[in-house]
Amino acid sequence: MIQREFASASSLVALSTLDELVAAGKVVCSPTASALALDDFPDDDLFFRTVPSDSLQARAIGAAADQTGAQRVTIVYVDDSYGRPFANAVEAELASSWSAARPYAAALVQIDKLDEIAAAALAAGVPGTDIK
């Protein structure tokens, strides 16, 4: 019988509290924790998510980018424990799903603050457009 269930509000909260909660035998459910780091977390089947993992989102982004026909891709991400693995997963998906006949070039653009995203994307150029 489950006496108490805990919910984590984000991936970062889940990652910082799961060790202790799992060790205490608590069931944890998160509606927002999508980080890749939680995919293989040793949770003794006590951690559940109601949102898909970012690994699914990475596959979808790779497939959507492939369907555009573009050969250049710019991946702009926040350089932290969440953004870095997600950007790497998207790049890995692009590398594995794009055809050998149409190789791609990916540019990973690290930023430290969210307000730098638009500036970084514009500086790198947007594939398939004249935006520079």
Side-chain angles (χ1 to χ4, degrees):
M1 172 187 277
I2 298 173
Q3 294 182 352
R4 186 171 280 168
E5 184 174 310
F6 295 87
S8 56
S10 70
S11 295
L12 295 176
V13 171
L15 288 166
S16 68
T17 60
L18 270 180
D19 278 330
E20 183 178 335
L21 292 171
V22 168
K26 304 296 182 186
V27 174
V28 181
C29 181
S30 176
T32 59
S34 60
L36 294 162
L38 294 166
D39 288 1
D40 298 317
F41 193 89
D43 60 18
D44 296 334
D45 293 328
L46 293 172
F47 176 64
F48 302 92
R49 303 189 256 195
T50 60
V51 63
S53 167
D54 286 338
S55 58
L56 180 61
Q57 292 184 60
R59 283 188 293 241
I61 290 170
D66 187 27
Q67 291 173 2
T68 68
Q71 291 184 312
R72 281 184 48 231
V73 176
T74 302
I75 302 169
V76 180
Y77 66 97
V78 176
D79 189 22
D80 64 10
S81 60
Y82 178 84
R84 199 174 315 110
F86 186 60
N88 290 337
V90 170
E91 184 181 26
E93 183 61 34
L94 292 171
S96 69
S97 67
W98 284 33
S99 69
R102 186 172 57 85
Y104 79 101
L108 292 175
V109 180
Q110 298 175 357
I111 60 171
D112 295 320
K113 297 178 185 169
L114 292 176
D115 60 353
E116 296 174 359
I117 289 176
L122 290 174
V126 178
T129 71
D130 292 330
I131 298 174
K132 297 276 187 226

